[in-house]
Amino acid sequence: SDVVFSTWKDNGIKGFYKGSLSPLIGSLIFRSLQFSVYRGVYSYLNENNILNKKLSIFFDTDLKIFIAGFVSGSMRSIIECPFEFIKVNQQTGQDWKFKDIYKGFGSLYLRTTGMLMWYFVNVDLIQRSNIFGDYRFSSFFISGSAASISWAFIWPFENLKNIVQVNPEFEKQSN
């Protein structure tokens, strides 16, 4: 509660939105791109009969889903990292330099590729299980469940990314 009062006293309402412009702009780009890239890669692999293999260890999930999710996460990571770096540094009041905008990329990459790969795998698993049936709002519950499961697995990488992006100790290691 001290943080709330201090933020309000020092910055007013603007203090609660510090660092929000960067992820707003970035989200418009990388969140749209992640689904377009996934669909494009999956369709290409499917139409050309590439990697037609089911992974029994993952309940017969199609290998193409893993590959398309991985490529989607890779593309998103490249675009997202500068926006995340700016956001985290603005939120914590850290000074930053343009040359450092890919600081924390390793952790962000593991987080994002892992999250999207598992998101698309989970969507497939949940759809095939038909747990939510064929109701009007099924896709809402399928996507929400898949995202929550994926996020739970990759949360440690989110923490690592934030620590690396604002901690000067890691500056030499990440350059």
Side-chain angles (χ1 to χ4, degrees):
S1 65
D2 290 342
V3 172
V4 172
F5 293 118
S6 175
T7 300
W8 180 261
K9 181 182 171 206
D10 294 344
N11 301 300
I13 194 73
K14 290 189 314 187
F16 296 102
Y17 290 93
K18 206 183 275 187
S20 64
L21 185 59
S22 175
L24 176 64
I25 294 168
S27 289
L28 292 171
I29 299 166
F30 63 74
R31 291 190 199 284
S32 299
L33 181 68
Q34 71 192 23
F35 294 106
S36 299
V37 169
Y38 173 83
R39 182 59 55 205
V41 170
Y42 184 85
S43 295
Y44 176 81
L45 295 174
N46 202 40
E47 290 165 8
N48 293 290
N49 291 320
I50 301 171
L51 300 171
N52 288 327
K53 181 176 179 166
K54 303 279 186 191
L55 300 174
S56 60
I57 193 168
F58 291 108
F59 307 101
D60 289 331
T61 299
D62 195 337
L63 179 60
K64 291 179 278 213
I65 294 171
F66 281 95
I67 301 301
F70 176 80
V71 174
S72 172
S74 297
M75 293 301 295
R76 175 178 162 168
S77 296
I78 292 166
I79 294 167
E80 182 180 23
C81 192
F83 292 104
E84 279 287 302
F85 175 79
I86 292 167
K87 175 194 81 172
V88 169
N89 280 276
Q90 286 179 336
Q91 287 176 334
T92 58
Q94 303 289 320
D95 291 329
W96 58 275
K97 296 178 182 111
F98 185 79
K99 71 177 183 68
D100 295 329
I101 61 173
Y102 279 94
K103 188 174 178 185
F105 180 78
S107 299
L108 180 133
Y109 184 77
L110 290 172
R111 178 206 73 176
T112 302
T113 55
M115 178 181 62
L116 286 177
M117 195 168 51
W118 288 113
Y119 168 79
F120 290 115
V121 166
N122 285 320
V123 165
D124 176 66
L125 290 172
I126 294 168
Q127 284 176 331
R128 285 189 292 128
S129 75
N130 203 25
I131 194 171
F132 292 113
D134 193 25
Y135 302 106
R136 177 177 269 176
F137 298 105
S138 294
S139 61
F140 172 80
F141 293 111
I142 291 168
S143 185
S145 298
S148 297
I149 293 165
S150 301
W151 192 250
F153 283 109
I154 59 83
W155 183 253
F157 295 109
E158 172 70 10
N159 284 330
L160 292 174
K161 174 198 66 78
N162 291 343
I163 291 166
V164 169
Q165 287 182 328
V166 298
N167 194 332
E169 291 178 29
F170 295 104
E171 192 162 340
K172 292 177 188 161
Q173 296 171 6
S174 65
N175 289 335

